[in-house]
Amino acid sequence: MKRALVILTYNEIEALPRIFGRIPRDSAHEVFAVDGGSHDGTKEFLAARGVRVFGQERRGRGEAFRVAMRSTAADAVVFFSPDGNEDPADIPGLFEALEGGADMAIASRMMEGAFNEEDVSWFRPRKWVNLAFGLAANTAFNRGPYVTDTINGFRGVRRDAFERMAPEAAGFVIEYQMSMRAMRLGLKVVELPTREGERLGGQSTASSIPTGIVFLKTLGRELLRRP
Ligand SMILES: Nc1nc2c(ncn2[C@@H]2O[C@H](COP(=O)(O)OP(=O)(O)OP(=O)(O)O)[C@@H](O)[C@H]2O)c(=O)[nH]1
Ligand SMILES: [Mg+2]
C-alpha cells in the first residue's frame, strides 16, 4: 500500500521548526505539505527542507484535504498538523491501522489511555462540546464500534474510502463530516489513543463559537441527507 504523509499548515512558523525534526518522514513513501496561504515563512521553511508545498485556491482545512487527495496517488494518506497539538510519534500507527484494514484511522483524545489538552482542569468546555457532537453522530449514524473522537483532524484515510465519503465541507468541520459519512457507509473506523499537546506558538484560526455553529449546521445537513 502506497503511503503519503500530508503536513497541513497555515502560518505555523513558530511551532513548525520545533516539531519538524520529530516527524517520522521515513514512515511514508511520499511527504508533502498543503498550505492555506501562509505569509510567515512556513512555505519557505518546508521547501528548504525538500518538502513540496501545494497551495490552495480557497482557504480552509476541508479544501486542504481535497487538494491533498488530488495531489497524490497514494492509497493510504495521513494528515498531520505541526502546531504542537499532535504527537508525530503516532503517525506510523495510523498508517499501520490503514494497512490492517481500517478505512479511516483516528488518533483519539477521548478513549481509554488517551489525553486531552483540557484533562488538566475540571472545566473542559471544548472536550464536552466535542463529546456531545460525537454522541449525536454515533447515535444517528453508527452501527459499528463507538467512535470516541469524531472531530480530531489527526487521522488517516484510504483513498477509496475518501472518494466514497466525498466530503465537501470547506473548513474545520471536514473531519466531523468524514466521520459521520464513514459511519453511515458502514466503513471501518479504527481509533488509537493519543496524547494531545499544547500549541507551541502561532495562532489558532478555529474560534469556538463560529466553528460550533458550522458544526451544528453540518450535523443538521447530514441528518437531512438522504441515505
Ligand atoms: N492547509 C491548511 N491548513 C490549515 C488551514 N487552516 C488551519 N490549518 C492548519 O490546521 C491545523 C489546526 O488548526 P488550528 O488553528 O490549530 O486549530 P485547533 O487545533 O482547533 O486550535 P488550537 O487548539 O488553538 O491549536 C494547524 O496546523 C493549522 O496550521 C488551511 O486553511 N489550510
Ligand atoms: Mg491546533
Side-chain angles (χ1 to χ4, degrees):
M1 198 177 257
K2 199 176 162 223
R3 300 171 167 196
L5 174 63
V6 183
I7 303 173
L8 297 172
T9 52
Y10 179 65
N11 289 338
E12 293 295 357
I13 200 61
E14 288 183 30
L16 177 62
R18 300 170 64 184
I19 294 172
F20 187 78
R22 291 198 285 125
I23 299 175
R25 285 187 286 161
D26 53 2
S27 64
H29 299 102
E30 191 188 349
V31 182
F32 63 91
V34 178
D35 183 88
S38 297
H39 41 77
D40 66 347
T42 295
K43 291 186 280 191
E44 294 74 10
F45 177 93
L46 290 164
R49 281 151 192 84
V51 179
R52 186 160 178 206
V53 182
F54 292 91
Q56 302 174 211
E57 266 172 41
R58 283 176 298 264
R59 260 218 60 206
R61 272 179 72 93
E63 187 63 17
F65 270 56
R66 289 185 290 275
V67 169
M69 298 307 288
R70 283 202 293 274
S71 306
T72 176
D75 326 279
V77 181
V78 167
F79 297 92
F80 177 73
S81 303
D83 68 350
N85 293 148
E86 304 177 357
D87 184 353
D90 293 329
I91 291 169
L94 292 172
F95 278 121
E96 280 153 27
L98 296 173
E99 279 183 358
D103 292 301
M104 186 155 72
I106 304 176
S108 170
R109 304 159 293 179
M110 307 294 177
M111 71 196 287
E112 188 78 44
F115 179 84
N116 183 284
E117 214 180 5
E118 287 181 336
D119 284 341
V120 288
S121 99
W122 68 268
F123 185 61
R124 304 171 184 176
R126 272 177 68 148
K127 182 173 183 178
W128 293 332
V129 169
N130 185 337
L131 288 173
F133 276 112
L135 178 64
N138 276 279
T139 308
F141 304 114
N142 197 5
R143 290 169 305 279
Y146 196 91
V147 179
T148 63
D149 197 345
T150 53
I151 284 167
N152 203 7
F154 192 16
R155 61 177 60 198
V157 67
R158 287 174 61 127
R159 162 173 304 282
D160 48 353
F162 187 86
E163 283 165 6
R164 289 185 65 196
M165 294 176 215
E168 76 280 356
F172 283 106
V173 78
I174 184 153
E175 293 92 350
Y176 187 46
Q177 187 175 56
M178 286 169 70
S179 296
M180 290 191 280
R181 293 194 181 171
M183 291 175 187
R184 181 174 224 165
L185 289 163
L187 299 180
K188 184 169 176 187
V189 180
V190 170
E191 293 186 294
L192 313 175
T194 193
R195 281 190 72 82
E196 185 180 36
E198 278 179 32
R199 211 176 215 295
L200 290 175
Q203 263 165 26
S204 174
T205 50
S207 36
S208 301
I209 304 290
T211 306
I213 293 170
V214 174
F215 268 71
L216 272 177
K217 284 188 181 162
T218 304
L219 171 62
R221 228 176 282 123
E222 293 300 315
L223 288 170
L224 295 174
R225 230 170 137 247
R226 253 171 282 195

